[in-house]
Amino acid sequence: MTAQPTQTPDSPRIAEREARVNRAQAAHSLSLSAQLVKIILLGLFDAVMVFTAITAAIEEAWLVFAGVAAITIVINVIYLPPNRLLPGKYLAPGVAFMLIFSVSVALYTVYASFTNYGDGHNGSKNDAIVAIQKANQVRVPDSPEYPAAVAERNDDLWLLVVDPASGDVLAGSNDTPLAQVSGVQFDSRGRPIAADDFRVLDFAELSQRQAEVAAMQVPISDDSTDGFIRTTTGSVAYVYTSTMVYDPATDTFTDPSGRVYRDGGEGLFVDEAGNSILPGWKINVGLDNYVSAVTDPDIRAPFLRVLVWTFVFSIVSVATTFALGLALAMVFNVRLRGQRIYRGLMILPYAFPAAMMIMVWSGLLNRDFGFINQVILGGADVAWLTSPTLAKVSLLIVNLWLGFPYQFLVCTGALQSLPDEVLEAAQVDGASPLQTFFSIKLPLLMVSLAPLLISSFAFNFNNFNLVYLLTRGGPRFGDTSLDVGASDILISMVYKVAFGDMDRLYGLGSAFAFLIFVIVGFVSWLGFRQTRALEDIN
């Protein structure tokens, strides 16, 4: 007898699963025309990626080159075969957007936090050398006159000049050294009036853009020590050289008085007395930004005060909005006439744009003409937005008004999902309303609301719009050079440090941003861990 294959209980299930997979793959099999479209799109994608990789290789950005190469290979492996890696065809776009718009931004923020990136330290060392030379220029006394014209190409201003020695016509821009051009036409004075790929500005355009023309500094060659060509009239140009003489052999600058500036190792050229010349350049500083946050008195004191207030603001905001939202949800959870109207009125603050409402509140709380001072308080002089304490109180009040409708909505939904049998059993057992609420309703509500409260905490921890639009973080602390105030929270402090009206310290701001990420992540992890106990409540 021939042995029959053993059938396991899972065999029909496995066969059914394989059949479903085969049907799905067959459904996604592409026709010839669809295959051609796919190949064309992949070819265009590969062409763009190859061009990007070549550019990265020319610039010696090997990390970018490796990333582009890896992405190109992965995309082709996923999409080129017709019936393989089907889940990857759906996951790849979402993962790609996540890497581009989330992961890459986060990684760059972390990278910037380990540098001195900021005002005066934006570019490379070569950029700083050229900028120093451009910022300290004088006209060469015996410079020959260069007949010149100002032209436009690709929306950039270019300077066309005639070399008085050779008669060649050269063109250059602020970022491009002089190079010979062709197809030039001259006027009767020997001044260029046309050239291939250039549009020479007429007198009216030249007059309108006079400030841009006067600011032009065209390098004579790739070596910035050779000087620059500049013009003030747009018709005649002269050679300018820097008073700060750079010596590539010793990597030093020498000023007209003979003082020597060397690379001080901190992204600046400094002399023996410690005097520096700007701009500097971006360098890696390791953990200096993080160390400064906890050791530099000028940074540590405001940072700790802002950190404490951020926790207070977030916790109190969540507690007050949840308490008011839950109270109103319970009030309007009973049957009464006009219940829908009342519920609609409760969510009106949530329906209006938050930014507009914050600006309205800013007017209401104004010290001089605000409705609250002038009408409700009878002309009282209350500094709601300029007192350190009252500014914080104002933030909490406005945030309560903006935030309770959301809590009202989620609490209303959660209350309606509570099992009636449990509540009726509590009444039969003689439990008081308070006992029923604290022992039954609230624990059951927290099962579904705890994650929302954690997300609400994270939102308020980074509630930049409210702070910036209502108080702008003021009043400012007087014991620090940072533009930080009493009502600032961490995210508004980061904004002011990185993009404020004073020194823009992108590296330090990135370090603060990373600390915010760590703090919010830790608090969220701790909160979710503590709420696991609620999962056992039935």
Side-chain angles (χ1 to χ4, degrees):
M1 295 180 61
T2 304
Q4 299 295 325
T6 303
Q7 297 288 331
T8 64
D10 292 335
S11 296
R13 194 178 308 165
I14 295 174
E16 181 182 356
R17 185 188 309 157
E18 292 178 349
R20 286 201 305 268
V21 172
N22 292 332
R23 287 196 299 269
Q25 291 179 343
H28 288 82
S29 297
L30 301 177
S31 63
L32 179 59
S33 59
Q35 286 278 12
L36 290 176
V37 170
K38 182 183 73 171
I39 292 174
I40 292 173
L41 292 176
L42 278 176
L44 293 174
F45 171 80
D46 290 344
V48 172
M49 299 302 280
V50 168
F51 175 79
T52 305
I54 292 174
T55 304
I58 293 174
E59 298 294 331
E60 297 184 355
W62 301 115
L63 186 61
V64 175
F65 176 85
V68 169
I71 292 172
T72 305
I73 294 172
V74 169
I75 292 298
N76 281 273
V77 168
I78 291 176
Y79 284 100
L80 195 56
N83 294 321
R84 292 175 56 193
L85 301 175
L86 186 60
K89 290 179 169 62
Y90 293 99
L91 292 175
V95 172
F97 278 106
M98 181 186 71
L99 292 175
I100 293 172
F101 295 107
S102 296
V103 176
S104 62
V105 174
L107 291 177
Y108 184 79
T109 301
V110 174
Y111 158 73
S113 70
F114 292 100
T115 68
N116 64 343
Y117 188 26
D119 280 353
H121 300 275
N122 291 320
S124 65
K125 187 174 183 178
N126 288 334
D127 295 334
I129 293 172
V130 173
I132 292 171
Q133 291 174 328
K134 284 186 174 182
N136 299 273
Q137 289 188 34
V138 293
R139 176 180 164 183
V140 175
D142 55 351
S143 169
E145 290 187 356
Y146 287 73
V150 180
E152 190 177 47
R153 187 174 76 173
N154 299 329
D155 297 326
D156 292 329
L157 283 184
W158 288 66
L159 189 62
L160 301 179
V161 296
V162 180
D163 189 339
S166 63
D168 296 333
V169 178
L170 310 172
S173 67
N174 285 328
D175 301 319
T176 307
L178 291 175
Q180 189 170 353
V181 295
S182 59
V184 182
Q185 299 178 21
F186 301 89
D187 62 10
S188 58
R189 296 175 299 173
R191 176 175 168 267
I193 57 175
D196 291 345
D197 300 327
F198 292 94
R199 185 183 68 83
V200 177
L201 303 186
D202 57 28
F203 180 78
E205 292 176 307
L206 194 63
S207 300
Q208 293 175 354
R209 307 181 70 172
Q210 185 61 37
E212 295 179 69
V213 172
M216 292 183 68
Q217 303 180 38
V218 180
I220 293 178
S221 68
D222 291 327
D223 186 356
S224 57
T225 59
D226 290 339
F228 302 84
I229 297 290
R230 301 182 62 180
T231 179
T232 55
T233 63
S235 59
V236 179
Y238 300 93
V239 177
Y240 283 71
T241 58
S242 176
T243 59
M244 300 293 295
V245 179
Y246 178 69
D247 183 359
T250 58
D251 192 22
T252 59
F253 271 107
T254 304
D255 67 12
S257 65
R259 184 181 302 169
V260 178
Y261 295 82
R262 305 180 185 278
D263 182 351
E266 297 181 355
L268 287 169
F269 284 103
V270 296
D271 63 9
E272 294 181 354
N275 300 311
S276 61
I277 50 176
L278 291 175
W281 58 93
K282 184 170 63 175
I283 62 171
N284 293 325
V285 296
L287 297 174
D288 286 359
N289 290 319
Y290 296 94
V291 173
S292 297
V294 295
T295 61
D296 187 343
D298 193 45
I299 300 175
R300 180 185 61 208
F303 171 70
L304 293 178
R305 278 180 283 183
V306 169
L307 178 63
V308 171
W309 162 237
T310 303
F311 272 103
V312 172
F313 170 76
S314 304
I315 294 172
V316 174
S317 294
V318 173
T320 54
T321 56
F322 175 68
L324 182 58
L326 178 58
L328 292 173
M330 294 182 65
V331 169
F332 295 113
N333 196 46
V334 298
R335 294 186 178 276
L336 71 160
R337 182 173 298 180
Q339 183 186 54
R340 293 183 178 179
I341 296 176
Y342 296 138
R343 284 178 172 174
L345 292 174
M346 289 300 101
I347 65 172
L348 278 180
Y350 194 53
F352 292 113
M356 182 181 71
M357 290 296 98
I358 295 171
M359 298 303 293
V360 170
W361 272 100
S362 178
L364 294 175
L365 294 169
N366 186 273
R367 181 174 187 173
D368 299 321
F369 54 81
F371 181 83
I372 294 177
N373 277 356
Q374 297 301 316
V375 178
I376 297 179
L377 300 181
D381 183 21
V382 181
W384 291 103
L385 304 179
T386 55
S387 166
T389 301
L390 291 179
K392 296 177 180 178
V393 173
S394 299
L395 286 174
L396 293 173
I397 292 174
V398 176
N399 205 31
L400 174 62
W401 189 84
L402 291 172
F404 85 85
Y406 169 76
Q407 301 292 350
F408 170 77
L409 287 174
V410 297
C411 290
T412 297
L415 284 172
Q416 293 176 350
S417 66
L418 294 181
D420 294 333
E421 298 82 2
V422 177
L423 301 179
E424 292 172 357
Q427 292 178 353
V428 171
D429 291 341
S432 66
L434 286 178
Q435 289 175 327
T436 302
F437 174 76
F438 286 105
S439 300
I440 298 176
K441 284 186 178 181
L442 187 59
L444 290 175
L445 287 173
M446 293 303 295
V447 174
S448 57
L449 295 183
L452 297 177
L453 294 179
I454 294 173
S455 65
S456 180
F457 172 86
F459 171 80
N460 283 291
F461 203 89
N462 293 290
N463 197 344
F464 172 80
N465 287 344
L466 175 63
V467 175
Y468 192 76
L469 293 178
L470 189 65
T471 66
R472 293 193 177 271
R476 182 183 168 187
F477 293 136
D479 57 350
T480 177
S481 62
L482 297 179
D483 183 16
V484 183
S487 61
D488 269 316
I489 59 176
L490 282 177
I491 189 64
S492 63
M493 178 181 177
V494 168
Y495 176 82
K496 288 182 176 182
V497 169
F499 307 105
D501 298 329
M502 302 180 66
D503 291 339
R504 299 179 181 182
L505 308 175
Y506 303 127
L508 181 61
S510 298
F512 285 143
F514 182 69
L515 290 176
I516 292 175
F517 169 77
V518 173
I519 292 171
V520 173
F522 175 76
V523 172
S524 300
W525 169 79
L526 187 63
F528 281 117
R529 183 181 180 185
Q530 295 300 320
T531 55
R532 286 180 184 175
L534 298 174
E535 297 177 0
D536 298 330
I537 298 177
N538 296 317

